[in-house]
Amino acid sequence: MGLIKKFLLITSLGMIMLTMGGCVYSNNKGWNDMTSEEKQDVRQSFEDIESDLRQDFASDDMGDKFASFILDTVEQAIDSAD
C-alpha cells in the first residue's frame, strides 16, 4: 500500500507542477501572462487535486505530513502569485 501512495503522490505533484506552470491550460504562458480566466482554471484544478490528496494523505505518518507540507507550499505560491 505504501508504494501505491508514493506513486499517487508523485503523479499528483507532477500534475500540480504542470498546472501551475500553465502548460496544460495556456500554451506554456507564464503565470503573469495568463488571463484571469486561465488563472482561475489553474486554481480550480489545484483545489480538485488538493482535496483528493489531503483525503489520501490524512494520517500522522511522516510521508503524509510531507505531502501536506508540499500542498500547503503550492497553495501559498498560488495565493501569493497575484
Side-chain angles (χ1 to χ4, degrees):
M1 186 68 170
L3 185 60
I4 293 171
K5 274 188 160 183
K6 288 179 186 177
F7 179 75
L8 176 63
L9 175 64
I10 291 169
T11 302
S12 298
L13 291 176
M15 291 170 53
I16 291 169
M17 291 167 62
L18 281 174
T19 302
M20 283 190 65
C23 299
V24 175
Y25 295 102
S26 62
N27 298 324
N28 293 323
K29 291 181 187 176
W31 185 259
N32 293 330
D33 299 327
M34 295 170 73
T35 66
S36 58
E37 291 82 15
E38 290 170 329
K39 289 178 181 179
Q40 186 58 37
D41 286 344
V42 171
R43 285 186 184 101
Q44 185 61 48
S45 294
F46 174 72
E47 288 174 9
D48 294 343
I49 294 169
E50 178 190 24
S51 63
D52 291 341
L53 286 175
R54 289 208 188 265
Q55 289 175 1
D56 291 340
F57 296 97
S59 75
D60 285 336
D61 75 1
M62 187 58 120
D64 288 3
K65 287 182 181 181
F66 183 65
S68 291
F69 170 76
I70 292 172
L71 291 170
D72 292 340
T73 303
V74 171
E75 184 175 26
Q76 289 173 355
I78 289 174
D79 290 343
S80 67
D82 289 328

